[in-house]
Amino acid sequence: MYRILIATNEPRVLDALNAITDWPGMNFHEPMIVGNAVEAVQTMETKRVDCIAYMLPQEEAHELNHYLVSRRPSLPIFQLKRTLEGQTQSLVEIRRLLDRLHMDMTDDIYDEQTVLTMLGDELTHDLLSGNIEGDDQLLGRLQMVRSMVDPDKPCLLFDFDLPQGEVYLSSQWRYGSERLENALRNNFFGRFFEDIYYAVAVLTPRHIRVMACQRQDCACETEEKLIARTQEHVQQVLENIKEYLGLDMVLESCHILDAMYLLTSEHAE
């Protein structure tokens, strides 16, 4: 069973959490609860902790976040909610993530960071596909996979057409759209290139979407610099894809968004 650590100076936010009594049924031990950042760090240093949630004053939250970033970068973080329904959903989501982290990968050996990276790729694919409902869901999933992407900073959205996409996938590639997406992400765009994160989604055989996002730990760039840097990289990537894969990707549109949140279905509506 998984072990939860909760750090909060607001005991009332735990009312909804404590209303769920069947912890073993959800594959959790009773949560370990502490009241400040120091106690949280001490607990993580001395006991097994599978995930953490915290709601603390700004200074203490910053102290705890610094520890998590520097010492526990692979520890999943989930959100504390103030309603029973919201907290139940948060626990269901963190349990799913923990199940993925600890599942039997048969002959494949993955460390926690590798699995979190894979889950981060799934998250950005869902976002680019329009399958993230709202801001809160996006932020919660970014926290759980310990993403360094900053959803509040401007980002660029590229849409590409593949004129021969159907023929290419059926005759030349033959590995399916998921493998093509992985190849474009890993071998051409790269997840992080010069501190810009590139998310890739093959939506249909004719439609590929790419998002260029800024990191949390880097200064926010001006729109002009962000556009210039990402467009230069994208142009070089398109030339490499044409040379090595024989695939034509035609840029149909490029938009700058004030924040990643604008790609959720909540804002699309």
Side-chain angles (χ1 to χ4, degrees), residues 23 26 29 32 45 55 77 91 95 99 113 119 163 178 181 183 188 203 206 209 216 226 234 240 244:
W23 291 100
M26 298 189 70
H29 289 284
M32 297 175 283
E45 291 288 335
M55 186 179 292
I77 301 172
L91 287 171
R95 187 189 64 194
D99 287 343
Q113 188 56 58
L119 294 173
E178 183 176 347
E181 179 175 307
F188 292 95
L203 303 180
R206 288 288 304 265
R209 177 168 281 179
Q216 294 176 344
L226 181 63
V234 167
N240 293 340
Y244 293 103

Side-chain angles (χ1 to χ4, degrees), residues 30-50:
E30 289 282 345
M32 297 175 283
I33 301 174
V34 298
N36 54 59
V38 172
E39 292 178 358
V41 171
Q42 290 175 343
T43 302
M44 286 184 282
E45 291 288 335
T46 58
K47 298 180 180 179
R48 190 191 107 198
V49 174
D50 294 308

Side-chain angles (χ1 to χ4, degrees), residues 111-156:
D111 59 23
E112 288 185 348
Q113 188 56 58
T114 300
V115 177
L116 287 175
T117 298
M118 294 165 59
L119 294 173
D121 294 339
E122 292 180 10
L123 164 58
T124 52
H125 178 96
D126 287 345
L127 180 62
L128 292 174
S129 302
N131 294 325
I132 302 294
E133 293 182 1
D135 298 2
D136 194 53
Q137 183 184 12
L138 175 59
L139 181 59
R141 288 185 63 180
L142 286 170
Q143 286 181 333
M144 281 195 290
V145 301
R146 300 303 302 272
S147 175
M148 293 300 294
V149 173
D150 194 328
D152 295 303
K153 291 179 180 176
C155 59
L156 259 69

Side-chain angles (χ1 to χ4, degrees), residues 10-25:
E10 299 183 46
R12 286 183 298 175
V13 305
L14 301 180
D15 290 344
L17 189 64
N18 292 329
I20 304 171
T21 57
D22 187 17
W23 291 100

Side-chain angles (χ1 to χ4, degrees), residues 2-6 28 44 49-54 64-65 68-69 71-79 90-91 93-102 112-113 115-117 119 139-147:
Y2 302 124
R3 297 183 183 275
I4 294 177
L5 173 63
I6 297 173
F28 290 114
M44 286 184 282
V49 174
D50 294 308
C51 58
I52 184 173
Y54 61 93
L64 181 54
N65 181 67
L68 291 169
V69 170
R71 300 292 299 276
R72 301 296 297 272
S74 299
L75 183 68
I77 301 172
F78 70 99
Q79 293 180 310
S90 184
L91 287 171
E93 291 174 358
I94 193 64
R95 187 189 64 194
R96 288 173 181 165
L97 182 142
L98 291 170
D99 287 343
R100 291 287 299 276
L101 280 176
H102 298 283
E112 288 185 348
Q113 188 56 58
V115 177
L116 287 175
T117 298
L119 294 173
L139 181 59
R141 288 185 63 180
L142 286 170
Q143 286 181 333
M144 281 195 290
V145 301
R146 300 303 302 272
S147 175

